[in-house]
Amino acid sequence: MTNLEKYSSTYKKVFELDDSIDVTTLTFQGIPLWDSIGHMNLIASLEEAFNVQFEIDDIIDLSSYEKGKEILTKLGVDFN
Amino acid sequence: MIFERLNQFRNNIAFIEKNNTCNYSDIIEYGIKFADKFYTKNILCLIVTGNNAATIISYLSAVEHNIPALLVNKPKKNTELLSIINNYKPKYIFLSTQDSFDENIKNITSKQIYSIFDYSLIETIYDTDYDIHHDLSILLTTSGSTGTNKYVRLSKKNILSNAQSIIQYLNISENDRVITTLPFSYSYGLSIINTHILSGASIMLSEYSIIQREFWQLLSATNATTFGGVPYTYEMMQRLKFERMNIPNISYITQAGGRLNTNLTQYFLEECSKKNIQFFKMYGQTEATARISYLEPKYLYEKTDSIGKAIPNGELFVVDENNNYLSSNETGELIYKGSNVCMGYAESCYDLHTGDENNGILHTGDIGYYDKDGFFYITGRKKRFLKVFGNRINLDELENKLNINGCLCACSGVDDKIKIYVCSEDMKNKAALLLKDTLDIHPSGYSIEIIKEIPRNSTGKIQYSLLG
């Protein structure tokens, strides 16, 4: 599995989404499950999947699928 | 009565919302206009709340002018609102203008009365074929979730006396600046609004979560001095590395809405003391308007797991099954006595005629004891309910609801994690669907497990101790 696949599947798993949903458009509070509780679940799952530790700025900035990719890239995850 | 008090603070800022400010004189002005629209004051008004000036002013006006009001946070779906409306038949509804255009709402609207900001007051088609007791002021949900029709009946005396006790022990003054973290239709959120309004303080209204940058930006831009949170708020703050936060203007923070575990309490005890922030652990129930007890910060270290002592003008004691008073270190049910104890419950508009059924005495349903120094501790619960992300869930009610809808199950679990036991894949799917619709709680707060058989004793009662 590529990092990008792993990244997308984390969103699907945490937010219980099927393949009909385009995960790349997801934003905080854009779907019912991505509320503050869902957000903390997402953070924990991403930290585990990529073996990284988010800082407070990362956690409060991770407001969309795209933003999350930028943050992980900064932490050394290669999406290419 | 309330407005007279607010008049002393005429020129103070009451609310900061987005980039607008609202003075105490505005509350009085708009509040009087709101009440003037009622052809009679003895009719029920449903207020669909948000953390905004429009709905808080309408609430304050209702309390001031003896207009009974049911407060409910804007639900995710308008169908949930309809179930409450059908059950309570409010003559007036105050809701966002956008929601008033909803087809379902239009069907029950007889006329539009007036609009203020982006809110509207509408009159409904319902006949008021029910009476309302003259002491009834506010109806609040017991669980904080919208999936129930059970509401707590509160009088004006309840609201004012609880606010006064809290103002006294938290020492709230007009110099305080609180930022909202909870919906104001939730008893804890409401108590924060009440206490600060009655003190002439300023309230920064936001619906941001503490995990959003905007929340912390607003907190620092407005020099907030305090905020409150349920246990989950504190868990998130620890994850956000509270120890590294630079929040020099915060002078105290409060915690209620469920038990904060020992580790988290110790963490906040230490970090707050480094930051020179006072940390108040508090205990209460919607049935007591909000607060029952609090732990003075200076005792946090010594009495970490205690819920503290009764609030000013309240009394806590412990009784056995026969209602005999127990001495220190003896375990029994916690009983609270005070003028903030609610009048009783309502499950529909036909319960609103009832007067005070409690006479200031509340059987909390919590089991505990007090130590030799008079500090109270909770060790268990009499009734089967859990706190899930600050909301109270009655397991028997939940189980019933699922059973009635054809899902055979047993509900159990611990705080923040309800467990639903079913016996087949089929039932699991059914439960998942029902829970999504009936339980207004994040799915990570519950899980469904398939077991071979639900354990029962010879009389058919479910043996919860044998589950999980």
Side-chain angles (χ1 to χ4, degrees):
Chain A
M1 200 169 18
T2 66
N3 278 338
L4 192 61
E5 283 165 350
K6 192 155 80 175
Y7 182 65
S8 296
S9 78
T10 306
Y11 281 78
K12 284 184 190 164
K13 202 175 78 206
V14 172
F15 301 132
E16 301 175 9
L17 302 169
D18 58 41
D19 291 331
S20 66
I21 306 278
D22 176 13
V23 290
T24 63
T25 63
L26 292 177
T27 55
F28 177 69
Q29 289 176 344
I31 49 168
L33 286 200
W34 195 350
D35 57 7
S36 53
I37 295 162
H39 190 71
M40 295 320 277
N41 294 340
L42 175 69
I43 294 294
S45 298
L46 288 173
E47 284 185 338
E48 195 187 306
F50 293 97
N51 197 22
V52 291
Q53 274 280 327
F54 289 120
E55 290 295 323
I56 170 168
D57 281 338
D58 301 329
I59 299 175
I60 60 180
D61 278 341
L62 210 161
S63 53
S64 68
Y65 176 93
E66 285 304 327
K67 193 79 197 167
K69 251 170 77 180
E70 276 173 39
I71 292 166
L72 281 170
T73 306
K74 190 190 75 189
L75 293 173
V77 176
D78 186 2
F79 283 108
N80 298 312
Chain B
M1 191 174 164
I2 297 174
F3 280 15
E4 212 177 280
R5 180 153 162 178
L6 303 194
N7 198 35
Q8 302 169 46
F9 310 118
R10 289 193 66 77
N11 301 319
N12 290 11
I13 291 172
F15 305 118
I16 299 176
E17 183 184 350
K18 297 192 178 106
N19 291 318
N20 301 316
T21 60
C22 175
N23 284 355
Y24 278 81
S25 55
D26 299 325
I27 297 183
I28 298 170
E29 185 190 326
Y30 288 113
I32 289 172
K33 271 187 199 156
F34 176 82
D36 279 348
K37 308 294 178 209
F38 285 69
Y39 65 86
T40 164
K41 303 283 188 271
N42 199 29
I43 48 171
L44 185 66
C45 179
L46 169 69
I47 302 176
V48 184
T49 65
N51 284 349
N52 52 56
T55 54
I56 298 178
I57 292 173
S58 66
Y59 152 74
L60 290 168
S61 172
V63 177
E64 167 72 8
H65 297 98
N66 304 315
I67 299 165
L70 188 155
L71 305 187
V72 60
N73 199 37
K74 184 181 156 44
K76 288 191 186 95
K77 286 176 267 167
N78 274 329
T79 47
E80 287 177 48
L81 204 54
L82 279 181
S83 129
I84 300 167
I85 293 171
N86 284 324
N87 223 25
Y88 283 92
K89 301 186 185 176
K91 193 64 199 161
Y92 279 11
I93 303 178
F94 190 65
L95 78 177
S96 76
T97 304
Q98 196 190 340
D99 288 337
S100 73
F101 294 139
D102 180 279
E103 273 311 308
N104 294 309
I105 301 293
K106 269 189 174 164
N107 285 339
I108 53 133
T109 305
S110 74
K111 66 174 178 223
Q112 172 109 9
I113 310 274
Y114 96 125
S115 289
I116 173 180
F117 307 126
D118 41 4
Y119 273 76
S120 298
L121 185 67
I122 58 167
E123 190 175 317
T124 68
I125 53 170
Y126 294 108
D127 290 327
T128 46
D129 60 344
Y130 55 92
D131 290 323
I132 305 177
H133 195 275
H134 56 84
D135 284 338
L136 180 67
S137 178
I138 293 295
L139 292 163
L140 284 187
T141 162
T142 48
S143 65
S145 102
T146 46
T148 167
N149 276 317
K150 195 169 180 182
Y151 283 76
V152 169
R153 292 181 287 120
L154 297 171
S155 67
K156 197 176 193 169
K157 185 183 83 180
N158 290 154
I159 297 166
L160 292 175
S161 88
N162 202 221
Q164 205 49 53
S165 305
I166 301 168
I167 290 169
Q168 194 181 327
Y169 76 75
L170 288 178
N171 201 12
I172 300 172
S173 78
E174 60 180 310
N175 300 320
D176 278 305
R177 302 167 66 82
V178 66
I179 181 163
T180 58
T181 49
L182 302 157
F184 106 90
S185 58
Y186 174 61
S187 59
Y188 182 17
L190 185 66
S191 73
I192 291 175
I193 300 293
N194 288 339
T195 50
H196 286 82
I197 286 294
L198 292 171
S199 304
S202 299
I203 303 174
M204 277 67 86
L205 297 168
S206 111
E207 291 193 345
Y208 295 124
S209 161
I210 69 151
I211 54 129
Q212 286 178 280
R213 176 169 290 284
E214 290 88 342
F215 175 84
W216 298 100
Q217 278 170 344
L218 184 67
L219 180 139
S220 86
T222 55
N223 298 324
T225 58
T226 183
F227 60 88
V230 297
Y232 195 73
T233 317
Y234 282 84
E235 256 177 65
M236 291 194 286
M237 278 207 288
Q238 188 191 36
R239 290 291 317 270
L240 289 173
K241 302 195 169 71
F242 179 75
E243 72 269 18
R244 288 206 232 149
M245 285 182 189
N246 182 25
I247 41 175
N249 290 310
I250 297 291
S251 65
Y252 77 94
I253 52 179
T254 60
Q255 181 270 320
R259 182 179 180 273
L260 191 68
N261 71 48
T262 313
N263 286 343
L264 272 177
T265 309
Q266 274 163 351
Y267 169 82
F268 281 99
L269 154 68
E270 277 165 36
E271 296 310 325
C272 284
S273 105
K274 282 183 205 158
K275 290 188 194 310
N276 210 7
I277 293 173
Q278 281 198 303
F279 177 44
F280 286 88
K281 244 175 45 144
M282 323 191 293
Y283 159 75
Q285 291 185 355
T286 304
E287 285 83 344
T289 313
R291 291 286 72 77
I292 289 176
S293 76
Y294 74 105
L295 182 62
E296 264 191 80
K298 64 178 175 188
Y299 295 113
L300 255 177
Y301 185 75
E302 195 189 340
K303 312 277 185 189
T304 308
D305 280 327
S306 169
I307 58 161
K309 294 181 178 185
I311 57 170
N313 306 314
E315 263 181 273
L316 255 180
F317 38 94
V318 181
V319 300
D320 67 11
E321 283 127 36
N322 302 317
N323 266 330
N324 297 316
Y325 292 104
L326 295 176
S327 324
S328 65
N329 292 316
E330 291 181 327
T331 299
E333 185 180 5
L334 258 54
I335 308 291
Y336 174 79
K337 203 171 145 188
S339 45
N340 52 315
V341 173
C342 70
M343 300 166 71
Y345 296 110
E347 296 197 44
S348 80
C349 52
Y350 301 108
D351 295 330
L352 303 185
H353 68 275
T354 322
D356 182 4
E357 296 174 302
N358 292 327
N359 297 312
I361 301 207
L362 176 67
H363 290 253
T364 65
D366 284 316
I367 304 294
Y369 66 94
Y370 59 92
D371 66 13
K372 59 177 185 357
D373 301 319
F375 287 84
F376 284 80
Y377 295 81
I378 291 174
T379 54
R381 284 173 189 143
K382 206 171 156 185
K383 288 177 208 146
R384 294 205 320 121
F385 70 76
L386 301 178
K387 283 282 194 165
V388 184
F389 307 128
N391 294 325
R392 181 164 62 186
I393 301 293
N394 183 322
L395 291 173
D396 292 325
E397 268 175 32
L398 178 64
E399 205 173 274
N400 262 329
K401 212 169 205 174
L402 290 169
N403 283 338
I404 291 167
N405 286 293
C407 173
L408 289 178
C409 66
C411 299
S412 158
V414 294
D415 281 1
D416 289 343
K417 197 86 213 175
I418 307 172
K419 277 220 160 174
I420 295 117
Y421 295 92
V422 291
C423 297
S424 68
E425 191 67 42
D426 213 32
M427 283 295 166
K428 185 176 174 174
N429 295 335
K430 207 165 190 173
L433 219 65
L434 281 167
L435 288 166
K436 228 180 201 166
D437 276 349
T438 56
L439 208 60
D440 193 18
I441 276 203
H442 197 275
S444 60
Y446 57 81
S447 65
I448 311 166
E449 203 175 298
I450 301 178
I451 52 172
K452 235 173 128 185
E453 190 180 11
I454 292 170
R456 290 175 190 274
N457 69 8
S458 55
T459 59
K461 270 187 89 172
I462 298 175
Q463 307 277 90
Y464 295 102
S465 56
L466 298 177
L467 288 167

